[in-house]
Amino acid sequence: MTHITGRWVRSVLALSVTLSLSWLSSAAAHAFLVNTLPRAGARFTEAPQELALQFSEAVSPRSAQVKVRALQGGPLEVRELHPGADAQNLLATLPPLKPDVYVVSWQVMADDGHLSSGEFAFGVGAGGAIPGVQDNVDGVPLLWVTGSALLLVGLALALGGWISERFVWRKQGVPRAWIGVGAVLAVLGSAVHLVALAGSGPRATSVILTSRPGVAAGLALLAFLVSACLTRGRFRGWAGLPMVGGALAVTWQGHLGNAETFWLTPLGLAHLLLAAVWVGALVHFGQVTWVRRNVAWSDALRRGAWRYAKLAAWSVPPLLLLGLLLAWSQVDAPGDLWTTRYGQLLLAKVTLVLAALGLAVLARSRLVPARTAQPLRLARLVLAEVGTLLVILVLSAGLVNATPPRALTAANILSAAPPIGPAVRAADQAGSLSVYVLAAEGDLRVEVVQPTGKPGDRTRLWVNGEAPGGAFTLPLRSCGRGCFHAPFGWKPGETTVRVKATDPEWPGGTAEVKLRWPPGPDQTAQLAQVVKAMKHAGTFDVTEQAPRSLDPTPHTFPLTAETLAATDVYVGGGAEDVREVGRDAQGYTVLSLFVPGSSLWYELHVDGHRRIRRERIVGPGYGVNRTIEYPQLLEDGSP
């Protein structure tokens, strides 16, 4: 029995590790909004007449819901919602729009049956602040999780129990496996998925009857129902066959059934079947050991334990290989483990897997001395492990409905949304890359722009610094094209932020900025006074230096107010986050501002006559320091 016990324990250990990777691969695809017309956050002088939405995956037009409302009014009628050039695009006709800010709310069902929703805004005319892009793709829908949990647990109990009855215990007078209970749970899980699909849009019947998720959920329900009926009579030995068909329908219903790579579907099916067989067989083994807990080891129990160990040993290699093959690329960065719902569920699951490992080690230490006595300790440990693994299945149901971090990163290709609430910015260069750091309530955002003006989509960042509360290091997540952010609790005072940036196309480096919190009042009116004063400044001398350019030598040249207006973009309007950030050593007022359309950040040092004495400019691929000298001023401030 020592040999049998050792094999059984090794199988349990290996499969417990495997479960930490299980079901990662079947994480559901969500339809991300990747492009819009009108563009999110844009402002138009003429009202757009058409609405176009582009998603990362094919969506069902019948289930789509798009609503438009005015911030200063009520909902508007959206007419003729129909597919665009392909299944990833939706088009609609907008009614005539008056000057206002308009919010577009959308909800779509991806081709795998999972819902995504969100909203964005655009403006017509000059008034009103435009809200940012919001979506719920990082959420975990409770109804879908409930259905998936019932399906996974039911499939494991039914299919694994059926395999255990027929091939492990072989009618040796042991308790029957819970095949019927598992089949009923699987039926309920499929029914819950159908209910979720029915609530996905106004044409629920059409969605269920014509979409792949609806047809697959219906076929799965039928297969599991047939299996449940077979368990009640003399055809119990055939109950597992419809279960395999139901598992195929479940795989086809999910993301792997919609995979562009054809071999992912059979691999996903094999992965699901192997995991279900092992968990269900372990549950049945727990039933047997618990019923026989007060009986000494018998030859029948030894033979059953040996066959179970053999089944587990044969299941380990393919299950482990498939788990690694299908799951290795789901997490984009270590920080995603605690900053995303997917990562948090994964951490909880791994914690339980470690608990299962502990139970397996404990079982090994107690199995050997208990093998000649009553197997009560073994029964208790096996049941504890069964309970742990069933909880892991429930967490797996959350994982298959959560969006993997890499999917979030890949699909967030909208430009960064405007910050919510007051914000202050600073900028610097990191090699050839321009780095813009934004401080908003509870959030630190970094945007990267290449010298070409394009966002740094493939840039990698590392952020650390010193705050009034001490040093910090932050893991970042994507918030749009070339945009990265992390939750951050700003403390009153000055915070130094260092950003190390690397990019496969451009030389990187380290940028360092200083941000003062909290942001002061908006100083757009003061900036307007500066612009007015500079327009009457006449001719002045400018000393300009680009410290990180090929020619860092300072150059001095005369400049007129008209020329300055042509080079300083904010003179024409459009500046955001205009803040007073302090005073310099000469007592000049320091203003910080950002022009988003041109990715230009300015730091202006303004004297008592509202004239710029120094300015720092960071734009795509360059950083410039300027010092301005004026002719002798008269007492009234005029030259």
Side-chain angles (χ1 to χ4, degrees):
M1 185 62 196
T2 303
H3 175 66
I4 297 172
T5 299
R7 292 188 62 181
W8 178 80
V9 172
R10 287 193 296 272
S11 300
V12 171
L13 287 170
L15 281 160
S16 297
V17 174
T18 303
L19 275 181
S20 67
L21 300 172
S22 297
W23 288 289
L24 288 177
S25 59
S26 54
H30 291 67
F32 295 87
L33 182 65
V34 299
N35 206 354
T36 68
L37 184 68
R39 189 176 66 83
R43 194 182 293 277
F44 301 88
T45 55
E46 295 184 4
Q49 299 178 352
E50 187 177 60
L51 176 67
L53 307 178
Q54 180 186 359
F55 296 93
S56 59
E57 301 215 5
V59 299
S60 171
R62 294 183 178 89
S63 68
Q65 300 182 59
V66 177
K67 300 177 181 178
V68 179
R69 70 180 189 276
L71 283 184
Q72 303 300 324
L76 305 176
E77 181 184 2
V78 179
R79 301 188 298 272
E80 301 177 13
L81 182 64
H82 58 277
D86 53 40
Q88 294 177 236
N89 291 270
L90 291 176
L91 301 176
T93 302
L94 292 172
L97 303 179
K98 300 178 181 179
D100 203 339
V101 174
Y102 295 91
V103 179
V104 179
S105 302
W106 56 270
Q107 176 181 288
V108 296
M109 184 180 71
D111 201 31
D112 67 351
H114 288 86
L115 293 175
S116 297
S117 62
E119 61 182 25
F120 66 93
F122 64 92
V124 177
I130 301 177
V133 178
Q134 299 181 14
D135 60 47
N136 75 340
V137 292
D138 197 18
V140 180
L142 181 59
L143 198 58
W144 279 97
V145 172
T146 302
S148 298
L150 291 171
L151 271 174
L152 290 177
V153 174
L155 184 62
L157 291 178
L159 186 59
W162 180 72
I163 292 290
S164 181
E165 273 192 10
R166 288 186 60 84
F167 302 105
V168 175
W169 297 102
R170 300 177 181 175
K171 300 180 181 180
Q172 294 181 357
V174 298
R176 281 189 166 191
W178 294 332
I179 303 175
V181 174
V184 170
L185 290 177
V187 168
L188 291 176
S190 297
V192 170
H193 279 175
L194 287 174
V195 171
L197 289 170
S200 64
R203 289 172 282 185
T205 303
S206 178
V207 170
I208 292 174
L209 295 179
T210 61
S211 69
R212 179 175 55 81
V215 173
L219 291 175
L221 187 148
L222 180 61
F224 296 140
L225 187 60
V226 170
S227 182
C229 294
L230 291 177
T231 61
R232 303 294 296 175
R234 59 180 179 175
F235 298 104
R236 182 181 178 88
W238 298 94
L241 298 182
M243 273 288 161
V244 176
L248 176 60
V250 170
T251 306
W252 184 48
Q253 176 185 345
H255 181 33
L256 293 179
N258 192 39
E260 294 181 0
T261 307
F262 73 93
W263 49 265
L264 284 179
T265 299
L267 288 186
L269 175 63
H271 185 256
L272 178 62
L273 292 176
L274 285 170
V277 166
W278 179 76
V279 175
L282 178 62
V283 170
H284 192 211
F285 186 59
Q287 289 179 254
V288 174
T289 55
W290 184 253
V291 171
R292 301 292 183 88
R293 65 188 182 278
N294 294 320
V295 180
W297 284 91
S298 64
D299 291 339
L301 186 59
R302 288 189 176 92
R303 287 193 297 269
W306 182 84
R307 283 190 290 267
Y308 169 76
K310 188 175 181 179
L311 173 67
W314 278 101
S315 301
V316 170
L319 186 59
L320 179 59
L321 179 62
L322 290 174
L324 290 172
L325 179 64
L326 297 172
W328 70 272
S329 63
Q330 295 300 326
V331 176
D332 193 56
D336 294 329
L337 291 175
W338 51 84
T339 59
T340 66
R341 185 67 57 85
Y342 184 91
Q344 292 162 2
L345 288 172
L346 182 57
L347 285 177
K349 181 177 176 180
V350 170
T351 301
L352 288 177
V353 169
L354 292 176
L357 280 171
L359 290 173
V361 172
L362 191 60
R364 180 172 186 176
S365 65
R366 294 192 177 186
L367 272 173
V368 175
R371 69 183 186 276
T372 58
Q374 297 176 353
L376 177 59
R377 293 179 177 178
L378 171 62
R380 289 174 176 172
L381 289 175
V382 170
L383 289 184
E385 190 174 357
V386 166
T388 303
L389 296 183
L390 290 178
V391 174
I392 290 175
L393 288 185
V394 175
L395 288 177
S396 298
L399 280 172
V400 300
N401 289 282
T403 307
R406 176 153 294 188
L408 284 170
T409 302
N412 278 344
I413 64 173
L414 284 172
S415 298
I420 299 175
V424 62
R425 299 178 187 254
D428 193 13
Q429 284 188 279
S432 298
L433 304 171
S434 296
V435 176
Y436 306 86
V437 183
L438 178 144
E441 185 66 44
D443 189 45
L444 184 150
R445 180 187 300 180
V446 181
E447 297 177 38
V448 182
V449 177
Q450 298 175 344
T452 58
K454 296 181 179 180
D457 294 332
R458 300 169 62 190
T459 304
R460 295 181 62 87
L461 300 181
W462 293 264
V463 172
N464 61 65
E466 291 82 34
F472 62 88
T473 300
L474 294 178
L476 299 177
R477 279 193 57 208
S478 173
C479 55
R481 298 190 62 197
C483 177
F484 309 85
H485 80 114
F488 189 73
W490 295 94
K491 304 293 184 183
E494 187 176 80
T495 297
T496 300
V497 179
R498 282 182 291 275
V499 181
K500 179 182 178 182
T502 62
D503 190 279
E505 301 177 20
W506 299 93
T510 300
E512 181 174 310
V513 301
K514 297 183 183 298
L515 295 155
R516 183 168 294 278
W517 189 264
D522 180 79
Q523 297 294 337
T524 302
Q526 184 176 354
L527 178 63
Q529 294 177 2
V530 172
V531 171
K532 181 179 179 180
M534 293 303 295
K535 287 182 177 179
H536 295 86
T539 302
F540 39 82
D541 292 329
V542 175
T543 300
E544 186 173 278
Q545 182 182 18
R548 300 190 182 183
S549 67
L550 295 176
D551 180 15
T553 307
H555 297 275
T556 302
F557 50 89
L559 200 66
T560 64
E562 292 78 9
T563 307
L564 179 71
T567 58
D568 281 5
V569 179
Y570 62 85
V571 174
E576 294 182 354
D577 299 322
V578 184
R579 309 289 177 191
E580 182 177 324
V581 295
R583 293 183 178 272
D584 62 15
Q586 287 73 36
Y588 298 147
T589 300
V590 182
L591 297 179
S592 170
L593 58 101
F594 183 66
V595 183
S598 304
S599 296
L600 288 170
W601 173 80
Y602 292 85
E603 183 181 83
L604 309 179
H605 296 244
V606 181
D607 64 16
H609 300 288
R610 304 295 186 190
R611 303 187 186 207
I612 300 172
R613 289 294 186 153
R614 290 197 301 275
E615 67 178 353
R616 164 78 171 156
I617 309 170
V618 176
Y622 68 91
V624 174
N625 298 326
R626 286 177 176 173
T627 301
I628 302 177
E629 296 292 339
Y630 299 95
Q632 185 67 36
L633 299 178
L634 300 178
E635 291 184 0
D636 62 357
S638 60

